[in-house]
């Protein structure tokens, strides 16, 4: 067992509904594939360049190998791969990856949310829940999020959740078929005070249930 894994986070009431975050499951295959095949236009331009066509990479049968890989990394303490649910239904993923321990104790965070429930505070709530969790129980000190400058919704999510912009990484990630610049956002444990969720609650953006 590694610190902070496995874990169930929430529930939190956000405008879209009741938000929960829990480990990815093999039986997420059906909903994961259905949503991602439908949401290609919403997702593809923000995601790492993949090998092979979108319909193949996101087919029902491609989930088990992704799930196994994520589970393996999680068991080695290198990743915390979560599914986001809203009102009990699959609503996206949020992942803490490339966990480095020792004197760095840092990782990246990344997320996507189903197009039918965007603009309902889901990603912001999930980022706050996961950030508080890895600082309180995962033994981490810093989380980093890299976002394309064009990704207005994601930049908004990080600002609302309490991340700071640190700089611009040029030609940083192979996303949607090219080397894309990314803003680097980050937060360290001592900046979070009573926690990012408490701050969202105080601002009226979420409610503990
Ligand atoms: N222009 C301006 N603002 C916008 C737009 C737009 N076109 N679309 C949404 N927004 C704003 C919303 O109004 C909201 O801000 P507000 O509360 O101030 O009004 C904010 O963006 C979105 O906040 P949430 O509702 O918490 O986020 P949501 O659950 O909608 O998820 C996300 C946002 C994850 C970026 C979603 O749109 C998505 O999955 N996009 C595709 C994949 C993606 O880009 N993932 C992030 C990659 S970067 C990374 O992982 C670090």
């Amino acid at each position: 067992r590694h610190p902070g894994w496995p874990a169930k986070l929430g529930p939190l009431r956000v405008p879209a509904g009741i938000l929960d975050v829990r480990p990815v499951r093999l039986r997420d295959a059906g909903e994961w594939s259905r949503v991602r095949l439908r949401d290609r236009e919403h997702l593809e331009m923000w995601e790492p360049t993949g090998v092979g066509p979108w319909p193949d990479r996101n087919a029902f049968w491609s989930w088990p190998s992704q799930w196994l890989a994520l589970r393996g990394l999680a068991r080695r303490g290198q990743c915390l791969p979560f599914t986001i649910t809203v009102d009990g239904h699959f609503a996206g993923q949020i992942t803490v990856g490339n966990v480095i321990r020792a004197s760095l104790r840092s990782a990246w965070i990344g997320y996507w949310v189903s197009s039918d429930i965007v603009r309902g505070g889901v990603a912001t709530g999930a980022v706050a829940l996961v950030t508080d969790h890895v600082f309180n129980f995962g033994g981490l000190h810093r989380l980093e999020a890299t976002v394309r400058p064009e990704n207005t919704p994601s930049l908004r999510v990080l600002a609302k959740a309490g991340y700071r912009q640190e700089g611009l990484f040029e030609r940083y990630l192979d996303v949607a078929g090219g080397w894309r610049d990314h803003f680097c956002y980050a937060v360290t444990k001592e900046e979070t005070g009573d926690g990012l969720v408490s701050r969202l609650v105080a601002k009226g953006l979420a409610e503990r249930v």
Side-chain angles (χ1 to χ4, degrees):
R1 286 281 168 102
H2 283 276
W5 189 260
K8 283 179 150 183
L9 316 178
L12 208 56
R13 187 190 304 278
V14 295
I18 302 293
L19 165 67
D20 284 280
V21 171
R22 47 107 177 135
V24 289
R25 293 178 186 155
L26 182 55
R27 62 182 181 277
D28 286 331
E31 278 301 282
W32 173 86
S33 174
R34 185 186 66 78
V35 172
R36 291 183 59 86
L37 290 175
R38 183 198 65 195
D39 278 355
R40 178 175 185 166
E41 269 190 46
H42 167 63
L43 299 172
E44 196 173 23
M45 64 189 295
W46 312 118
E47 296 201 350
T49 304
V51 180
W54 182 269
D56 289 351
R57 284 190 276 127
N58 294 287
F60 181 84
W61 43 262
S62 83
W63 177 249
S65 58
Q66 291 195 38
W67 169 79
L68 265 180
L70 290 170
R71 193 181 65 158
L73 289 168
R75 286 182 170 178
R76 292 197 294 280
Q78 293 166 0
C79 175
L80 294 89
F82 293 106
T83 290
I84 301 170
T85 67
V86 172
D87 297 333
H89 300 294
F90 181 93
Q93 287 176 266
I94 183 163
T95 308
V96 173
N98 199 22
V99 174
I100 307 287
R101 308 233 177 234
S103 57
L104 189 62
R105 300 206 281 283
S106 182
W108 54 250
I109 187 167
Y111 41 81
W112 68 270
V113 164
S114 169
S115 65
D116 53 10
I117 45 127
V118 288
R119 293 178 173 247
V122 172
T124 304
V127 167
L129 282 169
V130 170
T131 303
D132 287 351
H133 173 72
V134 298
F135 287 164
N136 291 331
F137 303 104
L140 296 186
H141 169 251
R142 172 182 160 92
L143 279 177
E144 216 171 83
T146 53
V147 189
R148 294 180 66 180
E150 304 85 353
N151 196 343
T152 312
S154 186
L155 295 171
R156 229 3 244 143
V157 165
L158 293 170
K160 284 192 292 175
Y163 280 57
R164 277 176 293 108
Q165 190 181 312
E166 289 194 334
L168 177 71
F169 294 166
E170 295 185 33
R171 298 171 298 286
Y172 178 64
L173 276 180
D174 184 1
V175 165
W179 292 106
R180 312 293 180 184
D181 293 351
H182 281 70
F183 282 131
C184 175
Y185 277 69
V187 66
T188 61
K189 183 172 164 61
E190 47 279 84
E191 293 170 74
T192 59
D194 292 334
L196 299 187
V197 172
S198 295
R199 270 196 221 158
L200 287 185
V201 170
K203 284 195 235 161
L205 296 177
E207 194 185 320
R208 286 195 174 89
V209 282

